[in-house]
Amino acid sequence: MPPGACDCHVHVFGPPERYPLTHDRIYMPGLATVADLLAMHRALGIDRAVVVQASPQGTDNGCLLDALEAIGMAGREVRGVAVVGEDVSRAELEALRSGGVRGLRVNLESHGHSNAVEARRKLLVQARLAADLGLHLQMYTNLGMVKAVAPTLKELPVPVVIDHFALASPRLGQDQDGLRQLSQLLESGRVYLKVSAPYRILERFDAEEGRWLVRMLVDANPERLLWGTDWPHTGPWPGKARLRDRPEPFHPIDNGEQLNLLGRWTSEQERLQILVRNPARLFGFLEALE
């Protein structure tokens, strides 16, 4: 691993009696502690992390801020991505930024938001909040929504980060709806894309299955790609209802294998760009390499 490598998408979940979950959550996560996160990163040789507020945590960013403080005290460089309501105060935003937050997240996918008009409105509101303090915007959505809001993304006053490949499917080929618009957004430099959580789009850990997709994204703009594990791997289980009132099991994903996939898809110089230089620029880490 190159010095300064960053895992740009992880979550930390504390006990709900200390960090209450939102009432409209679609699932209840189990515990995912800072100690466990640090152990995973030590095993992979990862120096930096970005902790992302997950949908069950709503707009209460207390667990996020405590995690950022604890990770920093452990000697690791860390940043956060928070979720805020439209009525958030300037003082709260300033406190989030002081605590290490560098982005605001708009989660459209987890709650099944498919109304493009409402999605545009949400993006515009959150972008105004982000721009006021020099933050970026992060969105979790699918290719169809990326296509629908692409004109809006081009005009926002802040950088935009799209999670998890925008859920593009390697099995649907280069003509799948929305992939061309995603590639154009990358080429323009208006968005970053996380090639994170490949387990969400691959049927198996097979480098060949996703190779053409990753190479297409790298060719579009290697300076706008980020990587992340999506630890501790939330998500629905096929054929099972989501669990709201008791902890839903995490998926047993091998993060070493996820990292190996990136190694098979990219060159050494491309990995330096994706793992070190791009996150250093976006999140304000001190650059490790000239």
Side-chain angles (χ1 to χ4, degrees):
M1 290 294 287
C6 185
D7 183 346
C8 291
H9 200 105
V10 299
H11 306 292
V12 172
F13 298 117
E17 58 270 18
R18 180 176 179 185
Y19 302 105
L21 301 174
T22 183
H23 69 279
D24 63 348
R25 64 185 178 274
I26 60 173
Y27 71 95
M28 175 184 284
L31 287 178
T33 69
V34 167
D36 291 336
L37 172 62
L38 292 173
M40 185 269 290
H41 280 170
R42 282 194 298 271
L44 296 184
I46 291 173
D47 296 327
R48 296 165 172 166
V50 178
V51 183
V52 177
Q53 180 86 339
S55 63
Q57 296 168 314
T59 58
D60 183 342
N61 294 282
C63 184
L64 171 66
L65 288 174
D66 285 352
L68 297 180
E69 182 179 13
I71 294 169
M73 291 181 66
R76 296 300 180 96
E77 291 185 274
V78 63
R79 300 289 187 268
V81 176
V83 174
V84 299
E86 296 181 4
D87 59 349
V88 64
S89 68
R90 169 80 183 205
E92 183 178 348
L93 286 171
E94 289 177 346
L96 289 169
R97 198 181 197 292
S98 296
V101 167
R102 293 296 180 269
L104 301 180
R105 192 185 197 201
V106 178
N107 189 331
L108 301 173
E109 185 68 22
S110 293
H111 291 284
H113 293 303
S114 58
N115 185 312
V117 173
E118 178 63 10
R120 291 189 193 100
R121 189 195 68 79
K122 287 178 178 290
L123 290 169
L124 289 168
V125 170
Q126 293 290 321
R128 283 195 293 269
L129 294 172
D132 199 32
L133 284 174
L135 307 176
H136 68 262
L137 205 62
Q138 179 174 317
M139 62 185 298
Y140 180 29
T141 192
N142 56 61
L143 277 180
M145 184 60 75
V146 169
K147 178 181 178 180
V149 302
T152 301
L153 297 180
K154 293 176 183 178
E155 298 173 359
L156 293 179
V158 296
V160 178
V161 179
I162 302 175
D163 291 342
H164 308 331
F165 293 86
L167 300 179
S169 171
R171 295 173 297 285
L172 295 181
Q174 297 187 23
D175 294 329
Q176 60 189 291
D177 199 35
L179 187 58
R180 178 173 60 85
Q181 287 78 11
L182 176 63
S183 181
Q184 290 172 344
L185 287 167
L186 285 171
E187 290 172 0
S188 73
R190 294 296 302 154
V191 306
Y192 288 79
L193 179 71
K194 292 184 182 181
V195 288
S196 53
Y199 74 92
R200 290 184 181 267
I201 65 167
L202 300 177
E203 289 187 345
R204 58 193 182 279
F205 280 115
D206 182 348
E208 292 308 312
E209 182 182 354
R211 184 181 303 280
W212 74 264
L213 175 59
V214 173
R215 294 314 310 170
M216 177 183 180
L217 299 171
V218 171
D219 291 343
N221 195 344
E223 294 186 359
R224 289 298 182 269
L225 298 181
L226 306 165
W227 179 84
T229 59
D230 194 28
W231 184 91
H233 315 303
T234 64
W237 289 80
K240 294 185 179 181
R242 303 303 302 262
L243 300 180
R244 293 188 69 256
D245 300 314
R246 66 181 190 274
E248 182 177 85
F250 298 126
H251 292 268
I253 302 300
D254 186 328
N255 291 302
E257 282 301 305
Q258 291 205 106
L259 189 55
N260 287 341
L261 285 176
L262 182 70
R264 298 185 185 109
W265 289 329
T266 57
S267 69
E268 182 179 1
Q269 286 302 311
E270 289 165 348
R271 290 193 293 278
L272 284 173
Q273 193 73 51
I274 294 168
L275 290 169
V276 182
R277 294 184 176 129
N278 295 345
R281 180 196 319 118
L282 178 65
F283 293 101
F285 293 117
L286 195 62
E287 183 61 89
L289 297 174
E290 295 297 330

